[in-house]
Structures are given as structure tokens and as C-alpha cells.
């Protein structure tokens, strides 16, 4: 587990703020390795489903992460039926893995979706949300469906309930876990330190 390392090691006291700072940076820096986490959901058969998404927003104050998807995609139906979600991030530069548990809320209409669409429609990603066929629909050889001007953008808001942070470092790996529901008095602000 040897990786290129940052020179200075973060202290446990600094860690929570730094994690949220890196998440926020990833939403604005296309080259940040945390920009494209893996989002896992549970399907109707109780089986895990995982895929890459783009992290669009990270709010430390409310502990919420946001991504966009097509409202017709299987992940939308999965998260609406079972909101338990997980996200995995890895950064070689930081030597940090984050495993996040969250509760998902899917927003498929209304002012927030419309405001997001106004921004997305001016970007290269706009066509992703204007596909006439639903994501995963078979290409059955029929004539291509006519282009649509109806967008299918949905906002997935992930309310973070737990964070498992793992740092790979030549001077010793470290691991910490934050449990948003913890009432443990020995774990200030919900963080406990674990054997990596
Ligand atoms: C780098 C990368 C970024 C992606 N970003 C998104 C995204 O932000 N939203 C999304 O719905 N799908 C995104 N995808 C596609 C998903 O990984 C997935 O293939 C698709 O959404 C269908 O997933 P589902 O069938 O589980 O709903 C991305 C794929 C890659 C490789």
C-alpha cells in the first residue's frame, strides 16, 4: 500500500474541515480526483449497484453532497425506493480514500431542478439530459428517435451520515470514522480513530 505522499501530515483536529474543503474543491476543479466518485445504491432485488458520477456540490454546513442524473435512469428509481447510498472517493495525490454513507433524496422537478438545468443547458453535458430514450434502453435497431427539447435532469442530494477516512502513508497508515448519529462522549464531534 505504498503511495506518493504529501509532505505534511494532517492532524486529527484539522481533518474534518480538510475533508470538506477537498470535497468542495472537487466540485470546481476538473482535475481533482474526488470529482468522480463511485455512487452505490441498492436495487429492487437487494443487490448493490455502483457507478461513477460527477460531484456537483459539497456543503460542509449541511453535510450534503449533490450529483445530477437522468430522472429515467435505474439509479433514480433505486434511490427513490431505497435511499441508502454509499460513495467512494480515492485521491492518489492526497493518499486518501473516503467511504461515505448517505441518505439520498431525488428531486425531479421544481425550481431547484429548473435552476440547475439553466446552468447545465449551457454546458457540454446538456445533451446527456436531452436523450429521447431512457438510459439503459436497448438500441433495438429502430430508426433513431427524434431529438428532444425536453430535459430529464434530476438532482440527487446525499445527506451524509458517516465518513470512513483512510490515509495511506509511508510513516504509517491512519483511519478515522465519523458517525453522524454518534452520542459517544469519548468521540469528540463523532470521530473515532481505527486500526487501518
Ligand atoms: C467519468 C464519468 C462520470 C459520470 N458522471 C455521471 C453523472 O454525473 N451522472 C450520471 O447519471 N451518470 C454519470 N456517469 C454514467 C454512470 O456511471 C452510469 O453509467 C449511468 O448513469 C447509468 O447508471 P445506472 O444504470 O446505474 O442508472 C458517468 C460515467 C463516467 C465514466
Amino acid at each position: 500500500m505504498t503511495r506518493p505522499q504529501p509532505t505534511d501530515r494532517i492532524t486529527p483536529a484539522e481533518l474534518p474541515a480538510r475533508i470538506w474543503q477537498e470535497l468542495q474543491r472537487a466540485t470546481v476543479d476538473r482535475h481533482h480526483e474526488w470529482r468522480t466518485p463511485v455512487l452505490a445504491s441498492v436495487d429492487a432485488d437487494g443487490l448493490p449497484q455502483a457507478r461513477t458520477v460527477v460531484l456537483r456540490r459539497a456543503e460542509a454546513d449541511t453535510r450534503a453532497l449533490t450529483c445530477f442524473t437522468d430522472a429515467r435512469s435505474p439509479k433514480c428509481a433505486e434511490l427513490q425506493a431505497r435511499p441508502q447510498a454509499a460513495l467512494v472517493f480515492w485521491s492518489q495525490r492526497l493518499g486518501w480514500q473516503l467511504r461515505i454513507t448517505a441518505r439520498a433524496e431525488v428531486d425531479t422537478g421544481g425550481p431547484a431542478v429548473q435552476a440547475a438545468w439553466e446552468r447545465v443547458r449551457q454546458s457540454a453535458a446538456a445533451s446527456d439530459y436531452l436523450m429521447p430514450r431512457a438510459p439503459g434502453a436497448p438500441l433495438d435497431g429502430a430508426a433513431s428517435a427524434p431529438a428532444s427539447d425536453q430535459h430529464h435532469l434530476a438532482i440527487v442530494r446525499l445527506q451524509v451520515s458517516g465518513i470512513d477516512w483512510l490515509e495511506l502513508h509511508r510513516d504509517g497508515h491512519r483511519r478515522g470514522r465519523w458517525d453522524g448519529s454518534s452520542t459517544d462522549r469519548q468521540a469528540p464531534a463523532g470521530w473515532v480513530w481505527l486500526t487501518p
Side-chain angles (χ1 to χ4, degrees):
M1 294 211 289
T2 308
R3 301 280 170 195
Q5 299 304 325
T7 47
D8 53 335
R9 297 197 80 177
I10 190 161
T11 66
E14 296 166 334
L15 183 63
R18 261 300 296 288
I19 286 175
W20 282 99
Q21 187 180 50
E22 292 293 341
L23 287 167
Q24 205 281 327
R25 281 181 186 160
T27 67
V28 290
D29 177 357
R30 287 181 179 276
H31 303 293
H32 198 296
E33 296 155 298
W34 282 3
R35 189 170 175 79
T36 49
V38 171
L39 167 67
S41 54
V42 182
D43 72 14
D45 296 322
L47 299 173
Q49 297 289 342
R51 79 290 287 162
T52 311
V53 292
V54 174
L55 185 65
R56 300 285 179 172
R57 202 172 307 142
E59 298 163 357
D61 293 352
T62 55
R63 298 189 179 117
L65 303 174
T66 302
C67 63
F68 295 163
T69 192
D70 188 307
R72 302 164 298 175
S73 68
K75 77 178 82 50
C76 252
E78 289 162 12
L79 291 169
Q80 282 168 321
R82 298 182 183 203
Q84 297 84 357
L87 290 139
V88 181
F89 303 76
W90 160 243
S91 167
Q92 179 124 2
R93 174 178 62 86
L94 296 165
W96 291 3
Q97 172 185 259
L98 273 194
R99 296 162 66 197
I100 286 183
T101 51
R103 189 171 180 85
E105 289 165 22
V106 182
D107 198 355
T108 57
V113 172
Q114 202 48 42
W117 173 243
E118 291 307 324
R119 289 193 303 277
V120 171
R121 74 185 307 172
Q122 295 159 30
S123 73
S127 59
D128 297 348
Y129 301 99
L130 290 167
M131 299 286 205
R133 292 201 178 95
L139 292 171
D140 52 12
S144 58
S148 165
D149 57 5
Q150 171 64 48
H151 80 79
H152 299 279
L153 180 75
I155 299 175
V156 181
R157 188 173 185 278
L158 297 143
Q159 186 63 51
V160 175
S161 56
I163 300 176
D164 186 310
W165 170 83
L166 174 69
E167 178 187 56
L168 302 188
H169 198 285
R170 61 173 170 253
D171 296 337
H173 308 323
R174 293 186 298 178
R175 182 175 175 188
R177 188 174 63 212
W178 176 77
D179 175 356
S181 62
S182 171
T183 53
D184 183 352
R185 285 166 186 240
Q186 302 302 312
W191 280 92
V192 290
W193 301 94
L194 306 174
T195 306

